[in-house]
């Protein structure tokens, strides 16, 4: 800060006031006169006391003070003025006649600013007064300026202090806010982290459920209660070869899954309405692929409800049950065949009893007639009965109740052998191609029966190709897994024989029945309808299966599966028959069929035996108790009412009876054995039986 007009005195605001003090009135007048013409207000005082009072009162700008005064001298007055606060800063100029320097020094030491020696020159007085007034004025202005400056500094300092405090407050506030912000940030970061973890878990879970949804075998979707498609899984899309765009946001009934008939749309629309009303709708339907393959679908529409029991969406779900249906068909078919088999077996059994009587009596008749011209009637009866016996044999083959001599056989070998005969059987118009598996295909089987199977199939193929064609026989080894097997086979290694022809083919209705005995489409006299029944029976008896695939107009293919064996075991061969000789022993014959019993009694008695007849098991046991001593052989029919042959034999043995036994049955030994009736070394007679066989077996049993 600079002071204004430091060198040039500024005009006084008021006229400068000069107090002149002198005890000499003349001197006072001189000074006043000297100054008055120069714009000064001149006050006067005649002694020190009044000077101090005046100065205090009037606050002059300058005091001209005489030293030598009566009373208080100038020095003392000056000292007191300097001590008094109100006058201390008023410049004092001594005016004295004392010119020695000592006085001047003394005066300046008392606080004066200048010293004028009397007598003085007016110019000097004016100059000195002017200078000191200027100095005083400058001093005063300097002081004012300083005060102002100080005040400003103070005010500024105060402002600064306030601002500083405000700033500090603000900083503190900001710090608090920042701390709060940091805390919030930490919480927020934790929340974000939690959210991220939750989001990740949600995404993983979503991925998992999406994978399940998409990859399940089931065809699944999601619709609004109105049936608008919201979601669909990959399986369902792949199933009908559609894309999401083609099905999403469309009414469910207008999607490509409902393509079989226009009625389907209306039906599905109604189903959606029912489901939307809260009903669980389920029905079976079909879907036909663009390639024309029909799929059976177990379909359901499930309503999903919220907490208020309001339907919020529908889940359409489809299960492809085509293979299940096929299995069901197969099972039904095999159950039907089983039932027919039981029936055929039963019929064959009863027939065998009747035939035994017919053949037996015809034999006796023949023997008795000797050379009589009527003897040929007996031969004719025997021939007819023989043909009937062949028929019952076929029925037994179908019902799997014929004797089977199983041993390890090589399938390629069987096919190779039979193919030579087949070539002749099928004729020249038909070509025969055989393809053999490179591996050995060993099965446990009856070679003759397998040959019969191939023969029957080849003959059918020939009949299906009156204008010629090709028959192919292929053998392969194959592993049947769970997925490949039908309703009847166990998984494992199999020999597969395929016999295909290029004939007329078989339509679906016919195909359903071809294995039934006596089912034929051939003219009367051309076929009995037993060929395939026999095939079926034999293959089943070998633990295998036979399937057929046919296209009308293109041909037919029969596939035979026979279980392969690793280790093999052979069964004892049936012993050859002993020569026909009679005896004299007593035989207890138990047989419920009158015809058979009569024939057997007759034949045995004719050859010298004693026969005790019984009509059933209980009767046999009673008769044994009476005649036990003389009975040497029990000839027991296995299947009898009340008590079967085996039970009779067991009862006798339990009682300690030691007697030989020969069982007879219309069923074959194999079946009887499977039922646990025969044991090793026990004889068996398979009906129908000729006289020779009967006598031979009886002798053998007695001599055993
Ligand atoms: N390869 C085939 N091609 C066309 N149809 C066949 C074929 N094999 C069998 N069939 C049909 O199955 C029916 C039954 O055959 P199956 O062999 O059981 O009896 P069949 O041949 O009629 O008489 P049989 O064999 O007793 O002389 C036949 O009548 C025929 O309609
Ligand atoms: Mg046939």
């Amino acid at each position: 800060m600079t002071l204004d007009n430091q060198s040039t005195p500024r005009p006084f605001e008021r006229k400068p006031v000069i107090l002149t003090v002198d005890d000499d009135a003349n001197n006072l007048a001189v000074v006043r006169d000297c100054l008055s013409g120069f714009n000064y207000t001149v006050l006067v005082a005649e002694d020190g006391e009044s000077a101090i009072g005046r100065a205090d009162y009037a606050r002059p700008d300058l005091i001209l003070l005489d030293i030598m005064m009566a009373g208080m001298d100038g020095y003392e007055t000056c000292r007191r003025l300097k001590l008094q606060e109100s006058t201390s800063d008023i410049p004092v100029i001594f005016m004295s006649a004392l010119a020695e320097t000592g006085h001047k020094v003394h005066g300046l030491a008392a606080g004066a600013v200048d010293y004028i020696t009397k007598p003085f020159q007016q110019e000097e007085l004016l100059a000195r007064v002017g200078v000191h007034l200027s100095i005083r004025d400058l001093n005063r202005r300097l002081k004012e300026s300083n005060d102002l400056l100080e005040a400003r500094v103070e005010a500024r300092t105060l402002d600064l202090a306030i601002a500083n405090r405000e700033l500090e407050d603000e900083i503190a506030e900001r710090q608090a806010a920042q701390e709060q912000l940091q805390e919030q940030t930490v919480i927020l970061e934790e929340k974000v982290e939690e959210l991220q973890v939750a989001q990740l878990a949600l995404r993983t879970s979503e991925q998992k459920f999406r994978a399940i949804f998409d990859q399940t075998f089931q065809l699944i979707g999601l619709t609004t209660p109105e049936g608008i498609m919201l979601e669909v899984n990959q399986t369902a899309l792949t199933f009908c070869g559609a894309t999401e765009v083609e099905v999403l946001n469309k009414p469910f009934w207008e999607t490509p899954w409902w393509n079989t008939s226009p009625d389907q749309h209306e039906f599905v629309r109604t189903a959606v309405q029912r489901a939307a009303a809260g009903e669980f709708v389920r029905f079976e339907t079909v879907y036909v692929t663009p390639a024309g393959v029909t799929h059976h679908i177990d379909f359901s529409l499930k309503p999903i409800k919220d907490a208020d029991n309001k339907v919020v969406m529908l889940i359409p779900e489809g299960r492809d049950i085509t293979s299940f249906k096929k299995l069901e068909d197969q099972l039904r078919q095999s159950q039907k065949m089983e039932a027919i088999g039981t029936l055929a077996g039963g019929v064959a059994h009863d027939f065998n009893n009747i035939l035994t009587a017919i053949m037996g009596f015809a034999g006796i008749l023949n023997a008795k007639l000797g050379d009589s011209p009527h003897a040929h009637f007996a031969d004719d009866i025997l021939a007819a009965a023989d043909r009937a016996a062949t028929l019952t044999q076929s029925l037994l083959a179908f019902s799997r109740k014929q004797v089977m001599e199983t041993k390890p056989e090589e399938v390629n070998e069987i096919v190779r052998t039979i193919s030579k005969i087949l070539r002749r059987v099928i004729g020249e118009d038909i070509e025969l191609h055989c393809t053999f598996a490179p591996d050995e295909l060993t099965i446990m089987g009856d070679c003759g029966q397998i040959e019969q199977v191939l023969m029957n199939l080849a003959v059918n193929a020939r009949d299906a190709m009156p204008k010629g064609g090709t028959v192919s026989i292929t053998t392969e080894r194959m592993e049947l897994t769970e997925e490949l097997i039908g309703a009847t086979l166990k998984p494992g290694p199999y020999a597969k024989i395929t016999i295909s022809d290029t004939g007329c083919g078989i339509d679906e209705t016919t195909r359903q029945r071809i294995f039934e005995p006596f089912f034929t489409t051939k003219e009367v006299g051309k076929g009995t309808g037993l060929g395939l029944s026999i095939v079926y029976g034999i293959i089943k008896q070998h633990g295998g299966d036979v399937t057929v695939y046919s296209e009308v107009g293109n041909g037919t293919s029969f596939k035979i599966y026979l279980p392969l064996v690793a280790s093999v075991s052979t069964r004892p061969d049936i012993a050859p028959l002993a020569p026909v000789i009679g005896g004299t022993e007593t035989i207890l014959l138990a047989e419920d069929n009158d015809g058979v019993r009569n024939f057997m009694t007759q034949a045995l008695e004719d050859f010298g035996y004693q026969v005790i007849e019984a009509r059933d098991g209980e009767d046999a046991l009673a008769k044994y108790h009476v005649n036990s001593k003389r009975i040497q052989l029990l000839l027991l029919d296995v299947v009898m009412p009340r008590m079967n042959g085996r039970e009779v034999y067991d009862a006798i043995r339990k009682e300690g009876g030691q007697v030989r036994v020969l069982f007879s049955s219309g069923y074959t030994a194999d079946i009887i054995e499977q039922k646990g009736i025969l044991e090793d070394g026990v004889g068996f007679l398979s009906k129908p039986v000729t006289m020779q066989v009967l006598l031979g077996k009886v002798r053998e049993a007695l001599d055993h």
Side-chain angles (χ1 to χ4, degrees), residues 569-603:
S569 71
T570 47
R571 293 151 64 97
D573 283 342
I574 292 162
L577 294 180
V580 185
I581 24 169
T584 54
E585 290 91 343
T586 302
I587 299 168
L588 173 62
L589 168 64
E591 169 64 66
D592 60 323
N593 185 290
D594 292 342
V596 175
R597 197 178 59 250
N598 291 343
F599 145 65
M600 283 182 172
T601 307
Q602 185 70 50

Side-chain angles (χ1 to χ4, degrees), residues 19-24 27-28 31 45-49 51 63-79 81 92-118:
L19 172 64
T20 178
V21 186
D22 205 319
D23 57 352
D24 185 314
N27 284 347
L28 284 176
V31 173
E46 283 162 6
D47 56 54
E49 286 291 345
I63 298 172
L64 297 174
L65 184 60
D66 183 25
I67 294 171
M68 297 301 291
M69 287 188 296
M72 195 190 299
D73 67 6
Y75 297 126
E76 182 57 22
T77 309
C78 184
R79 263 194 299 272
L81 280 169
V92 175
I93 301 174
F94 278 119
M95 295 188 69
S96 177
L98 304 171
E100 291 90 20
T101 308
H103 289 288
K104 291 179 185 173
V105 171
H106 197 62
L108 291 172
V113 292
D114 208 351
Y115 197 99
I116 299 171
T117 318
K118 287 190 264 187

Side-chain angles (χ1 to χ4, degrees), residues 351-471:
F351 252 80
N352 279 344
N353 277 334
I354 298 163
L355 285 172
T356 304
I358 296 172
M359 286 162 96
F361 284 121
I364 293 169
L365 206 61
N366 187 280
K368 294 216 181 231
L369 287 175
D371 294 333
S372 154
H374 302 300
H376 72 93
F377 290 125
D379 284 338
D380 290 347
I381 295 172
L382 274 173
D386 213 43
R387 284 199 297 280
T390 316
L391 202 68
T392 57
Q393 215 50 50
S394 297
L395 280 180
L396 283 174
F398 165 67
S399 57
R400 286 171 261 162
K401 284 174 180 137
Q402 69 174 354
V403 182
M404 192 167 85
E405 287 181 47
T406 58
K407 52 184 201 307
E409 297 285 358
E410 214 282 298
V411 170
N412 285 333
E413 203 46 51
I414 301 175
V415 174
R416 220 168 255 129
T417 313
I418 194 73
S419 65
K420 291 173 193 135
I421 304 164
L422 294 184
R423 231 175 268 280
R424 264 181 279 126
V425 171
I426 58 177
E428 284 170 3
D429 293 344
I430 295 169
E431 281 183 51
L432 177 69
H433 293 302
C434 294
T435 317
F436 297 99
D439 349 48
E440 277 211 337
L441 304 171
T442 310
I443 57 159
M444 278 304 285
D446 184 323
C447 171
Q449 291 191 358
I450 301 295
E451 282 176 358
Q452 192 184 352
V453 164
L454 296 171
M455 178 67 83
N456 290 7
L457 292 173
V459 169
N460 282 349
R462 178 200 65 193
D463 294 348
M465 298 184 288
K467 292 187 183 130
T470 310
V471 174

Side-chain angles (χ1 to χ4, degrees), residues 107-150:
L108 291 172
V113 292
D114 208 351
Y115 197 99
I116 299 171
T117 318
K118 287 190 264 187
F120 57 82
Q121 291 291 310
Q122 188 188 13
E123 288 79 13
E124 190 190 347
L125 178 68
L126 286 170
R128 285 187 189 257
V129 165
V131 166
H132 285 289
L133 279 174
S134 270
I135 290 171
R136 174 174 161 78
D137 184 50
L138 280 173
N139 271 340
R140 200 167 46 214
R141 280 164 59 190
L142 191 67
K143 190 173 174 293
E144 273 171 16
S145 221
N146 268 345
D147 287 349
L148 192 73
L149 207 64
E150 258 170 40

Side-chain angles (χ1 to χ4, degrees), residues 57-247:
Y57 171 72
R59 305 280 170 98
D61 298 296
L62 187 71
I63 298 172
L64 297 174
L65 184 60
D66 183 25
I67 294 171
M68 297 301 291
M69 287 188 296
M72 195 190 299
D73 67 6
Y75 297 126
E76 182 57 22
T77 309
C78 184
R79 263 194 299 272
R80 293 223 351 226
L81 280 169
K82 290 295 154 189
L83 283 173
Q84 185 172 280
E85 204 201 329
S86 59
T87 53
S88 64
D89 62 341
I90 302 171
V92 175
I93 301 174
F94 278 119
M95 295 188 69
S96 177
L98 304 171
E100 291 90 20
T101 308
H103 289 288
K104 291 179 185 173
V105 171
H106 197 62
L108 291 172
V113 292
D114 208 351
Y115 197 99
I116 299 171
T117 318
K118 287 190 264 187
F120 57 82
Q121 291 291 310
Q122 188 188 13
E123 288 79 13
E124 190 190 347
L125 178 68
L126 286 170
R128 285 187 189 257
V129 165
V131 166
H132 285 289
L133 279 174
S134 270
I135 290 171
R136 174 174 161 78
D137 184 50
L138 280 173
N139 271 340
R140 200 167 46 214
R141 280 164 59 190
L142 191 67
K143 190 173 174 293
E144 273 171 16
S145 221
N146 268 345
D147 287 349
L148 192 73
L149 207 64
E150 258 170 40
R152 280 203 202 154
V153 166
E154 207 170 305
R156 204 51 188 266
T157 309
L158 196 70
D159 280 354
L160 268 173
I162 291 168
N164 213 18
R165 188 147 335 118
E166 275 173 2
L167 207 67
E168 271 170 9
D169 286 351
E170 207 178 299
I171 287 172
E173 246 172 64
R174 283 204 182 175
Q175 256 168 0
Q178 210 164 10
E179 270 164 31
Q180 234 176 359
L181 201 72
Q182 265 167 355
E183 270 170 38
Q184 294 290 334
T185 309
V186 170
I187 293 171
L188 210 70
E189 274 170 4
E190 279 170 5
K191 285 252 164 72
V192 167
E193 213 167 297
E194 265 172 41
L195 215 69
Q196 276 172 342
V197 171
Q199 222 167 14
L200 191 74
L202 199 72
R203 206 175 311 134
T204 316
S205 156
E206 156 78 16
Q207 272 170 351
K208 264 195 287 192
F209 282 103
R210 188 81 221 178
I212 296 170
F213 179 71
D214 268 341
Q215 302 307 323
T216 174
F217 283 134
Q218 250 70 308
L219 322 172
I220 305 181
L222 197 69
T223 82
T224 63
E226 293 75 32
I228 302 300
M229 288 299 287
L230 297 175
E231 291 273 356
V232 61
N233 77 343
Q234 198 49 50
T235 315
L237 289 174
T238 315
F239 181 71
C240 73
T243 61
E244 270 193 349
V245 183
E246 290 170 80
V247 294

Side-chain angles (χ1 to χ4, degrees), residues 37 52 250 256 318 335 397 422 484 505 625 634 653 676:
I52 289 166
K250 299 242 167 75
Q335 276 170 347
L422 294 184
L484 280 175
H625 288 149
L634 304 172
R653 285 224 301 201

